[in-house]
């Protein structure tokens, strides 16, 4: 605290006063600097639209080197002599399709993704409405799964069942509700078994039995510890689709329209509109034919990889991506990837996602426009829901849909009414 420039002896300044002087100088600086920074930020924000998405995930380098980058050979499931006679490669893998389900870009602008979903639609009169009876096991099969040990099947789960029976083409469809315990005494389940006996069935999962005849038969990985049930769910969906063929629908989805136009393709979905490098694909909605060689290759890859971590998406998102890359490297046309909004319209930015389903409706610029219209019947949100196929709710089982909110008005109430209508028509026949 010496003043070298002055000849007067050093003067002692009490620490409190010294601090005071310092603080005053800092305040003066802030008084000028803060408004300046604020003004510059505001001007930049006003003139330019910032873009970017912060999503930092750390992947172990060692894991990337070991699991993600190498392309081990496929298991030969597409060799003509190994393809099941039940599966027609020239039709399913190489055949012409009625609809295009991949857009080629991520469709992050406005409502592009929803509008693209709207192109996957049969023209008036194109869909054959012939009312011939089809035996349940020959119909389009849909599968879903409920772990009875995690929670009991109640009202929230019933909404998914209702959405299925209200939106799907029931004379040509059957939903199989899989579980790891008996559900036949559950009153909700019984109600739908009685209402739709040919379009609904229950099954108990027997993993070792389902795995028979696949590269996972008797595999030691079938007995892994898995507390969060992530691996279990990922394995079960592949095994039941392999055995029965059909589409998988996670229990935390609400269907918004008939899935029939999608079923000419074999597909998984895009995880979200950001295309995370290793976490790009999702199996919450997926479709493969019975004994599909794609699934056979998935089992081969599982059987010859390091054990999956629990919990992880090693048998889900990660597996689909590793398989997809191997298919490309052997020049096999890969399965399709449906854009995020087809089934997961909550998985993009605030300005092009559907409104939060568990909160009361708010004025929402993208749906309501300037005239306050948009969330009502026939409004922008209603039309968008009619173009996409499902709303994935990402579990959140403890949350309820607000009474009179958009989910209640545009989906749940209508499903209820439509089921009533369908049951009446059925009764008259
Ligand atoms: C496979 O599909 C093609 C094209 O639809 C058809 O011509 C062919 O007969 C089918 N093959 C079998 C074995 O069903």
């Amino acid at each position: 605290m010496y003043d070298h420039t002055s000849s007067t002896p050093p003067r002692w300044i009490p620490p409190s006063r010294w601090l005071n002087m310092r603080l005053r100088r800092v305040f003066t600086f802030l008084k000028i600097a803060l408004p300046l920074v604020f003004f510059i930020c505001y001007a930049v924000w006003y003139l330019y639209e910032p873009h970017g998405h912060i999503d930092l995930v750390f992947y172990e380098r060692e894991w990337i080197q070991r699991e993600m980058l190498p392309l081990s050979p496929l298991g030969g499931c597409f060799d003509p002599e190994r393809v099941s006679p039940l599966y027609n490669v020239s039709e399913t893998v190489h055949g012409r399709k009625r609809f295009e389900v991949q857009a080629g870009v991520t469709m992050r602008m406005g409502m592009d993704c929803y509008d693209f979903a709207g192109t996957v639609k049969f023209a008036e009169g194109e869909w054959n409405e012939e009312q011939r009876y089809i035996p349940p096991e020959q119909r389009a099969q849909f599968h879903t799964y409920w772990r009875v040990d995690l929670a009991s099947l109640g009202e929230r789960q019933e909404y998914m069942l209702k959405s299925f029976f209200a939106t799907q083409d029931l004379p040509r469809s059957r939903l199989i509700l899989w579980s790891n315990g008996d559900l036949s005494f559950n009153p909700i389940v019984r109600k739908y078994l009685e209402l739709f006996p040919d379009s609904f069935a229950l099954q108990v999962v027997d993993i070792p039995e389902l795995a028979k005849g696949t590269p996972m038969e008797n595999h030691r990985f079938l007995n892994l510890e898995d507390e969060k049930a992530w691996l279990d769910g990922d394995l079960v969906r592949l095994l039941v689709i392999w055995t029965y063929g059909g589409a998988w629908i996670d229990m935390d989805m609400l269907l918004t329209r008939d899935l029939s136009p999608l079923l000419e393709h074999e597909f998984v979905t895009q995880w979200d509109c950001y295309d995370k490098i290793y976490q790009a694909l999702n199996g919450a909605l997926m479709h493969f034919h019975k004994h599909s060689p794609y699934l056979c290759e998935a089992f081969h890859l599982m059987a010859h990889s390091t054990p999956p971590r629990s919990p992880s998406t090693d048998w889900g998102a990660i597996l689909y991506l590793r398989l997809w890359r191997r298919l490309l490297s052997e020049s096999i046309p890969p399965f399709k990837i449906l854009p995020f909004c087809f089934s997961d319209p909550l998985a993009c930015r605030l300005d092009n996602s559907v409104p939060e389903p568990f909160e009361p409706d708010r004025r929402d610029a993208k749906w309501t426009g300037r005239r306050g219209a948009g969330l009502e019947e026939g409004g922008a949100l209603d039309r968008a829901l009619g173009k996409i196929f499902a709303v994935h709710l990402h579990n959140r089982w403890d949350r309820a849909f607000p009474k009179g909110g958009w989910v209640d008005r545009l989906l749940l109430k209508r499903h209820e009414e439509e089921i009533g209508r369908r049951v009446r028509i059925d009764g008259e026949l």
Side-chain angles (χ1 to χ4, degrees), residues 32-87:
I32 299 167
L34 273 185
L36 199 67
V37 168
F38 177 80
F39 177 78
I40 291 171
C41 287
Y42 182 78
V44 168
W45 181 82
Y46 185 79
L47 291 173
Y48 302 94
E49 198 177 283
H51 272 279
H53 166 69
I54 301 171
D55 183 22
L56 205 55
V57 184
F58 290 88
Y59 295 97
E60 266 177 61
R61 286 183 194 284
E62 200 260 332
W63 174 83
I64 297 169
Q65 289 297 335
R66 181 169 39 95
E67 297 295 324
M68 292 313 292
L69 300 184
L71 291 171
S72 58
L74 290 173
C77 300
F78 281 89
D79 294 349
E81 66 278 11
R82 282 198 47 199
V83 175
S84 157
L86 299 171
Y87 187 93

Side-chain angles (χ1 to χ4, degrees), residues 156 252 254 344-346 353-362 364 381 385 391-396 399-409 411-412:
R156 258 296 300 278
D252 58 350
L254 293 174
D344 216 336
L346 284 161
S353 296
V354 296
E356 168 59 40
F358 298 105
E359 269 158 35
D361 290 357
R362 266 188 312 223
D364 192 332
L381 177 62
L385 291 174
V391 178
H392 187 199
L393 299 161
H394 297 267
N395 294 319
R396 296 198 277 176
R399 307 289 301 274
F401 302 111
K403 273 267 165 292
W406 68 270
V407 176
D408 189 36
R409 286 179 294 111
L411 298 176
L412 308 184

Side-chain angles (χ1 to χ4, degrees), residues 173-337:
S173 315
R174 177 170 71 162
L175 175 66
I176 303 179
L177 170 55
W178 293 87
S179 61
N180 59 342
D182 191 9
L183 274 175
S184 59
F185 294 101
N186 181 297
I188 292 170
V189 169
R190 290 174 77 111
K191 179 169 131 196
Y192 293 99
L193 283 172
E194 271 163 37
L195 287 177
F196 306 106
D198 290 337
S199 299
F200 191 33
L202 290 182
Q203 290 254 28
V204 173
V205 171
D206 180 348
I207 288 178
E209 183 63 34
L210 288 168
K212 277 192 183 149
T214 76
M216 286 298 281
E217 180 171 351
N218 293 327
H219 201 284
R220 66 197 163 89
F221 291 174
L222 295 183
N223 308 312
L224 289 175
E225 190 74 24
D226 178 30
E227 263 170 26
K228 281 206 180 167
W230 287 23
L231 297 178
D232 176 64
D234 284 333
L235 177 62
V236 166
R237 75 192 66 203
L238 297 177
L239 287 174
V240 303
I241 299 177
W242 163 262
T243 311
Y244 291 82
W248 181 271
I249 308 167
D250 263 0
M251 202 75 191
D252 58 350
M253 289 224 184
L254 293 174
L255 299 175
T256 61
R257 77 157 155 129
D258 186 7
L259 298 169
S260 306
L262 296 174
L263 301 184
E264 62 182 340
H265 292 285
E266 293 186 288
F267 61 80
V268 298
T269 69
Q270 191 186 12
W271 184 280
D272 58 22
C273 73
Y274 303 112
D275 287 333
K276 298 195 190 77
I277 177 160
Y278 306 124
Q279 197 86 343
L281 310 182
N282 195 318
L285 178 70
M286 64 193 321
H287 177 251
F288 288 91
H289 293 288
K290 183 169 175 167
H291 288 191
S292 169
Y294 291 114
L295 297 180
C296 166
E297 290 295 356
F299 296 129
H300 171 84
L301 190 52
M302 288 158 107
H304 294 89
S305 298
T306 52
R309 299 158 300 173
S310 171
S312 76
T313 57
D314 285 353
W315 278 357
I318 302 287
L319 178 79
Y320 311 145
L321 182 63
R322 295 172 70 220
L323 175 58
W324 193 84
R325 296 186 64 234
R326 282 161 174 77
L327 292 165
L328 296 188
S329 79
E330 300 199 12
S331 302
I332 294 171
F335 48 84
K336 301 284 178 179
I337 301 158

Side-chain angles (χ1 to χ4, degrees), residues 13-24:
I13 305 173
S16 62
R17 188 155 158 253
W18 179 79
L19 193 71
N20 228 326
M21 279 159 53
R22 274 294 151 113
L23 277 180
R24 218 172 305 154

